[in-house]
Amino acid sequence: MSVHLEKRILVTGGAGFLGSHLCERLLGGRTSVLCADNFFTGSRRNIQPLLQHPGFELVRHDVTFPLYVEVDQIYNLACPASPIHYQRDPVQTTKTSVHGAINMLGLAKRTKARILQASTSEVYGDPLFHPQKEEHWGNVNPIGARSCYDEGKRCAETLFFDYWRQHRMEIKVARIFNTYGPRMHPNDGRVVSNFIVQALLGRDITIFGDGSQTRSFCYVDDLIDGLIRLMDSSAEVTGPLNIGSPEEIAIGELATAIRDLARSKSRIIIRPLPEDDPRRRRPDISAAQRLLGWAPSTDLRTGLSRTIAYFEQLLVEQGSAALLEESSARA
């Protein structure tokens, strides 16, 4: 006997780190998931277990082009999110954020779907206020090497709220802070994956800057829970809402913690800080707590242990050379 699926949900960037976890979580109950990805940074490996699920469908698609499907909800996660990836083709990165938002908003308008934009803490730039509240307009360099991502995401937020004002659409905007967990690219330039890979391979753990700069790291399961709660909240809750961990840690302390958890003897070395790299980053999540009843529940040590275990298994399966090259793998 066939089962009627009540919702069809589109996840753009669904084969990526966050997207694959979101697709997996959504495939419960009476929900079908359409995963759209151009595999610029996404990987078929991330969604391989989902391909046999009767409610899962994969389409290879670039969001800079329109997509004509029938859906009830849209999670717009498509965009390279690490500096190594988004600076590889900065013009395409901006197009993905801006044209992608226009195309997905157009689809949502036609289908009357509720749509969520995965924005970023990078809209705050090098913040003038700490911790960062949603009311902060940001301190962003519009012409720097990171601007393709920062300003692309800021423009996407503008488009979402213009569509909301002009067309009365149901929108949600989540400002995602640093997130980590299984399925991260081993060589994507992000601090957690970098440190773990270097520690497991016994290589020097490289810190950019003096290690005093801080970040707040949210485990992926908690982040996905926040996105779903935001999507399913009342229509009046548009955001933007900070979704991330308020637990702040210095990068030098993070490197030491990962080295210890990985039982590594790697040295910790210092390199110059990249251009426009923010000194401090921690979300004020009081709005998400009040409006969604959400706060992360996975402590950093537990989350890091799970992530290290994932990379250890990847190392066993693919070897050290493949581990370092995994980020360039394609479907």
Side-chain angles (χ1 to χ4, degrees), residues 150-285:
D150 303 358
E151 296 288 47
K153 289 290 190 177
R154 286 164 66 92
C155 184
E157 287 196 15
T158 300
L159 286 162
F160 266 68
F161 279 91
D162 282 339
Y163 267 77
W164 172 68
R165 282 183 286 263
Q166 188 170 338
H167 302 296
R168 307 287 183 180
M169 288 171 49
E170 291 192 16
I171 67 160
K172 309 285 180 177
V173 175
R175 288 179 178 166
I176 298 172
F177 281 68
N178 293 74
T179 307
Y180 70 100
R183 300 181 202 156
M184 295 183 77
H185 278 298
N187 193 25
D188 66 1
R190 298 193 201 188
V191 64
V192 171
S193 52
N194 267 12
F195 288 177
I196 290 175
V197 170
Q198 289 168 342
L200 291 177
L201 296 179
R203 300 185 174 187
D204 291 341
I205 296 177
T206 306
I207 293 178
F208 293 94
D210 61 8
S212 63
Q213 68 271 31
T214 66
R215 295 293 184 271
S216 303
F217 297 96
C218 184
Y219 189 63
V220 62
D221 289 354
D222 294 329
L223 187 282
I224 297 303
D225 180 51
L227 294 183
I228 293 174
R229 287 187 185 219
L230 177 55
M231 176 65 91
D232 294 340
S233 62
S234 67
E236 291 74 25
V237 180
T238 61
L241 285 184
N242 292 335
I243 306 291
S245 171
E247 183 182 353
E248 189 174 6
I249 185 172
I251 295 301
E253 294 177 32
L254 176 71
T256 300
I258 288 175
R259 182 177 63 180
D260 293 346
L261 288 169
R263 303 175 299 281
S264 172
K265 296 182 180 180
S266 295
R267 297 183 307 156
I268 296 175
I269 62 173
I270 304 297
R271 292 286 184 267
L273 195 67
E275 179 188 9
D276 297 331
D277 193 59
R279 296 290 307 176
R280 303 188 73 184
R281 184 59 55 77
R282 176 163 66 92
D284 181 320
I285 62 167

Side-chain angles (χ1 to χ4, degrees), residues 2-155:
S2 62
V3 178
H4 175 67
L5 298 174
E6 294 181 348
K7 282 184 183 175
R8 190 175 192 222
I9 301 177
L10 169 64
V11 179
T12 69
F17 164 49
L18 294 182
S20 62
H21 282 278
L22 178 59
C23 289
E24 185 176 26
R25 184 80 68 88
L26 291 172
L27 281 173
R30 298 178 179 272
T31 299
S32 66
V33 173
L34 174 60
C35 167
D37 206 297
N38 68 352
F39 294 101
F40 181 70
T41 58
S43 170
R44 189 175 292 271
R45 185 182 193 277
N46 289 340
I47 55 170
Q48 193 67 40
L50 308 180
L51 294 175
Q52 302 306 314
H53 192 291
F56 183 77
E57 182 181 354
L58 171 65
V59 58
R60 188 164 193 144
H61 183 79
D62 188 319
V63 294
T64 61
F65 298 94
L67 181 61
Y68 301 101
V69 292
E70 302 302 318
V71 291
D72 303 293
Q73 292 182 351
I74 302 169
Y75 288 84
N76 187 34
L77 274 60
C79 189
S82 72
I84 282 179
H85 290 147
Y86 66 63
Q87 290 173 355
R88 183 184 299 166
D89 188 345
V91 172
Q92 184 65 24
T93 296
T94 303
K95 288 173 66 177
T96 299
S97 288
V98 178
H99 292 187
I102 291 170
N103 288 329
M104 290 306 107
L105 285 163
L107 174 62
K109 181 186 174 189
R110 181 181 66 80
T111 60
K112 296 181 172 56
R114 177 175 285 192
I115 181 169
L116 181 147
Q117 168 68 10
S119 190
T120 173
S121 61
E122 297 300 331
V123 301
Y124 297 117
D126 194 2
L128 301 175
F129 303 95
H130 191 79
Q132 288 77 64
K133 294 186 176 184
E134 291 86 352
E135 293 78 14
H136 180 29
W137 289 354
N139 178 36
V140 179
N141 178 359
I143 59 171
R146 301 167 66 106
S147 304
C148 58
Y149 183 71
D150 303 358
E151 296 288 47
K153 289 290 190 177
R154 286 164 66 92
C155 184

